[in-house]
Amino acid sequence: MKSFLMALQFLTRFHLQKQAVWTEEDLGKSVPWFPAVGWVIGLFLCLIEYVMSPLALPLLTAFFLVAGEFFITGAMHADGLMDTADGLFSGRSRERCLEIMKDSLIGSFGLLAFVFLVLLKILCLASIDTAKWGLLIAMPVIGRLNMVFSLCEYPYARPFGMGEAFSEYRPSYAEPVALVLGLIPGFFFGMTYLILAGAGLLAGLYINRWVVSKIGGTTGDTYGFVTEITEVFLAFLFMILSKGSLWFM
């Protein structure tokens, strides 16, 4: 339970225990619980959807869904998205990319990546006219499951950093436990969720390999990058399948 609360406190604004300082070992032990934190975020999104549904305003609802997730997570993954976009799309050397990503200032590539991602996610969610409860759970859960695979399967690109603590001190059972936690919602949402999960995991695999090919590993920023791209990919996929009459579940 302590490890879950630590993961919840690190990845969201929910602080259910009074602990401001974590050891590296504590950070590592929280890794298997990342998808469970996705459950919490997903339930929060479902609550927003439930409250807004009587108004029948899909665009406004989609805006509040996206804004609500940024609020509950403190937009920490969006920050990683922008830093990573600035570095990877700069066309510079590996060392220079890492320097750019570490810079606290946001460049043009980071700003454009954030704007495009927010607009695409809002438009996709607003365009879905079928029940999307499974999607609202899948986006944060599979996004954070991909984060677990990012830090477990790939080398850390920097000699030191907070992301290295997660990677070095995570338990050996982190991936199987995270995978089980990530697939449990399939019992409630059926094949719809499992298809989204499979597609999201494949997308995460591709994104991680692309990142590693650019900078030789992953960082805390790329964890956020992978999470955000996974979420918008799932929203886009669900929208395409539902609009294209390919959703047979």
Side-chain angles (χ1 to χ4, degrees), residues 203-217:
L205 177 64
Y206 175 81
I207 298 167
N208 276 310
R209 288 187 173 182
W210 179 74
V211 168
V212 172
S213 72
K214 293 291 185 179
I215 58 175

Side-chain angles (χ1 to χ4, degrees), residues 96-148:
R96 181 56 182 152
C97 284
L98 290 172
E99 290 178 7
I100 294 172
M101 290 165 63
K102 192 175 182 180
D103 193 336
S104 60
L105 298 178
I106 301 300
S108 57
F109 286 117
L111 180 59
L112 287 173
F114 178 75
V115 171
F116 288 159
L117 178 133
V118 169
L119 289 177
L120 181 58
K121 188 181 287 188
I122 289 176
L123 291 174
C124 287
L125 292 173
S127 300
I128 299 169
D129 49 18
T130 59
K132 51 180 178 285
W133 307 110
L135 172 65
L136 296 179
I137 297 293
M139 288 194 304
V141 172
I142 303 304
R144 281 141 194 86
L145 178 57
N146 275 339
M147 188 189 300
V148 174

